[in-house]
Amino acid sequence: MDQKLLLNEALTFLHLTESSSEQDLKVSYHNLAKKYHPDAGEYDSDVLFQELQRHYDFLKEYLQIHHSFLSIENLISSSESLQEQRLKTSRSKREGNDPIFNQYKLAKEIETTAILSYFDKNKNSPLNLDEVANKNLEKLRKELEPARKIFLDIIGNYPQSIWASDSKDSLQRLSVWWKKDKPGEISPG
């Protein structure tokens, strides 16, 4: 998966910015861990806690390698040559024109927004994956359906793409919201 996309997703999940420090990361993790922990937090499910842990681990490793969340573009001095600026612009245009990546990125944005919105709306309720007892679950499934379709499209139409593997992983994670189905299979909501 694209490092920049992973970084943005992790920073968003932990309510951080590229200018956040390692101390900010620790404080945010601690606060969210208390909120999302299935034994002591606001939710009975461990889904958000696992996502928190995954994003936290990624950011810790990222900091060990890069020493900052700031993108390389922000760290390059303003004295770079015109040729370097053209190369960077050309590279970013090519990356921005990858239709598979753009679809994958859209699906991840839909997924993240829907799940965070669901948990914000249900923060005082225990997590219940029974659609009869949890009316908001049906709404979440409907909001996740466009992301699910994009992931399936990438897997079906571009199986050799690097985004196909990430799409499979995303579908596996989404399957928790359809607990009655087999892992990795998600029936429409």
Side-chain angles (χ1 to χ4, degrees):
M1 187 177 198
D2 179 75
Q3 288 289 310
K4 184 66 175 167
L5 180 63
L6 280 171
L7 177 62
N8 288 337
E9 183 179 328
L11 289 173
T12 300
F13 193 90
L14 277 108
H15 308 289
L16 299 171
T17 65
E18 286 186 340
S19 61
S20 297
S21 68
E22 186 172 359
Q23 183 61 29
D24 295 332
L25 172 62
K26 289 177 183 177
V27 169
S28 181
Y29 172 78
H30 179 73
N31 290 336
L32 291 172
K34 287 193 296 188
K35 180 177 180 178
Y36 295 150
H37 195 280
D39 295 332
E42 298 175 16
Y43 307 104
D44 291 336
S45 172
D46 65 349
V47 173
L48 276 178
F49 189 74
Q50 288 176 357
E51 283 295 299
L52 173 65
Q53 192 62 49
R54 183 175 67 89
H55 291 305
Y56 178 69
D57 290 343
F58 170 80
L59 291 174
K60 277 186 7 184
E61 184 177 319
Y62 190 93
L63 277 177
Q64 287 176 345
I65 295 168
H66 301 284
H67 309 293
S68 171
F69 297 131
L70 291 173
S71 62
I72 191 68
E73 290 84 9
N74 293 339
L75 298 175
I76 295 175
S77 70
S78 59
S79 64
E80 68 185 1
S81 72
L82 185 57
Q83 183 178 8
E84 288 173 319
Q85 290 176 6
R86 286 181 184 153
L87 283 172
K88 187 170 67 173
T89 302
S90 173
R91 184 174 54 246
S92 67
K93 284 182 182 176
R94 278 196 314 270
E95 291 169 355
N97 289 332
D98 180 354
I100 303 167
F101 169 72
N102 290 337
Q103 286 300 302
Y104 178 80
K105 183 178 176 184
L106 173 64
K108 290 303 288 182
E109 288 171 359
I110 292 169
E111 173 189 353
T112 301
T113 301
I115 291 172
L116 288 175
S117 174
Y118 172 83
F119 278 104
D120 280 346
K121 290 175 187 172
N122 296 289
K123 60 183 161 193
N124 294 324
S125 304
L127 181 63
N128 186 343
L129 295 176
D130 177 9
E131 59 194 36
V132 175
N134 183 354
K135 299 300 179 192
N136 290 325
L137 182 61
E138 182 179 345
K139 182 178 183 217
L140 173 63
R141 288 176 177 172
K142 286 179 183 177
E143 290 175 356
L144 289 173
E145 187 60 25
R148 177 193 164 274
K149 287 180 179 178
I150 293 170
F151 292 138
L152 289 171
D153 178 61
I154 291 170
I155 293 166
N157 294 325
Y158 310 100
Q160 301 303 318
S161 168
I162 62 171
W163 305 113
S165 174
D166 290 333
S167 293
K168 287 178 187 175
D169 291 344
S170 294
L171 281 174
Q172 181 65 30
R173 281 195 305 276
L174 285 178
S175 70
V176 72
W177 300 107
W178 284 267
K179 76 172 185 175
K180 64 184 176 194
D181 300 330
K182 296 176 187 173
E185 296 180 16
I186 302 174
S187 63

